[in-house]
Amino acid sequence: GEDVEQSLFLSVREGDSSVINCTYTDSSSTYLYWYKQEPGAGLQLLTYIFSNMDMKQDQRLTVLLNKKDKHLSLRIADTQTGDSAIYFCAERSSGNTGKLIFGQGTTLQVKP
Amino acid sequence: GAVVSQHPSRVICKSGTSVKIECRSLDFQATTMFWYRQFPKQSLMLMATSNEGSKATYEQGVEKDKFLINHASLTLSTLTVTSAHPEDSSFYICSAARTGASYGYTFGSGTRLTVV
């Protein structure tokens, strides 16, 4: 079945780069997403990548996709304290509903 | 663009009562909306897929008579938690799929339900 896995916690110092990793199982996924959730809030779409792309960069965010290994990563350059949040990786189901399957979320802690 | 408004943001109700949560797409039409439940420090669990003008599709293990979903228009879906119990206390989040969009779904800000 469809499954998305993430590491649960990452701690970095302000100014460093953060790399959050994700693995998925559905090889027919069309889109993969990264969402950010701050405490008590909904999810904010950070970026997405289409399955035929290897890399996508958007300002401080870089997404790398290794389709062979079903591995997705999100790199945040020059991490700031405001980046502290939970980051969810999600794949778009290949089924007709197009529902999103989420990973467990990675809590990013940025230390000053 | 692509804003989803969810209300209320927080609600406290007594056991046995029903609570309605609204999810509105403000600047686009959403033929499909999704309802999620999130437990503390956990991921989002998809409860059901709501389709405008038809019955919702519930995920396995979700009681359709307990969690009533209505998607009567292209901009509004509602989730009603009926006969609420303390174990229904949770964070409920909706998301809306913009027709033709490839960039993912827009999420509401969530509703914190506490049943006392």
Side-chain angles (χ1 to χ4, degrees):
Chain A
E2 302 149 332
D3 193 22
V4 179
E5 299 274 340
Q6 294 177 245
S7 52
L8 297 182
F9 186 79
L10 175 66
S11 180
V12 300
R13 291 222 171 265
E14 191 173 18
D16 289 347
S17 292
S18 307
V19 180
I20 303 171
N21 295 299
C22 170
T23 57
Y24 60 97
T25 57
D26 186 356
S27 58
S28 59
S29 294
T30 52
Y31 291 93
L32 296 125
Y33 306 90
W34 284 103
Y35 284 89
K36 176 183 180 182
Q37 184 181 36
E38 298 185 8
L43 271 67
Q44 172 196 356
L45 177 65
L46 287 178
T47 187
Y48 69 98
I49 188 167
F50 188 48
S51 59
N52 68 354
M53 298 166 68
D54 298 323
M55 188 268 280
K56 180 179 180 181
Q57 186 168 2
D58 184 5
Q59 299 182 350
R60 292 191 297 125
L61 305 179
T62 302
V63 179
L64 295 177
L65 174 61
N66 182 328
K67 198 171 180 181
K68 174 177 170 289
D69 294 338
K70 300 191 190 70
H71 182 266
L72 183 73
S73 68
L74 173 69
R75 178 177 180 271
I76 305 173
D78 188 24
T79 313
Q80 303 297 307
T81 54
D83 295 325
S84 294
I86 302 175
Y87 291 80
F88 289 96
C89 162
E91 64 171 350
R92 182 169 177 168
S93 169
S94 55
N96 290 333
T97 62
K99 63 187 180 186
L100 296 185
I101 308 299
F102 285 88
Q104 313 95 307
T106 299
T107 299
L108 175 63
Q109 179 188 66
V110 183
K111 297 180 180 178
Chain B
V3 177
V4 172
S5 174
Q6 186 174 342
H7 291 284
S9 58
R10 186 181 294 268
V11 58
I12 301 173
C13 70
K14 293 184 178 179
S15 288
T17 60
S18 295
V19 174
K20 181 185 283 188
I21 302 169
E22 291 189 350
C23 181
R24 291 181 185 272
S25 56
L26 296 186
D27 51 1
F28 65 100
Q29 293 184 332
T31 54
T32 303
M33 290 186 176
F34 301 89
W35 286 97
Y36 293 86
R37 182 174 180 177
Q38 186 180 30
F39 294 99
K41 299 190 186 300
Q42 292 190 26
S43 188
L44 283 76
M45 181 193 79
L46 179 65
M47 298 174 66
T49 302
S50 168
N51 297 294
E52 187 266 336
S54 64
K55 290 184 179 180
T57 303
Y58 289 81
E59 295 298 304
Q60 192 173 5
V62 178
E63 300 174 59
K64 59 180 68 175
D65 294 331
K66 173 77 171 172
F67 300 99
L68 300 179
I69 291 172
N70 184 282
H71 193 158
S73 78
L74 285 171
T75 59
L76 174 65
S77 176
T78 61
L79 167 69
T80 302
V81 182
T82 63
S83 186
H85 291 281
E87 57 265 30
D88 298 325
S89 298
S90 193
F91 193 58
Y92 294 86
I93 309 176
C94 70
S95 73
R98 190 171 187 175
T99 305
S102 61
Y103 49 80
Y105 308 140
T106 305
F107 283 78
S109 53
T111 298
R112 171 70 61 191
L113 170 64
T114 304
V115 184
V116 297

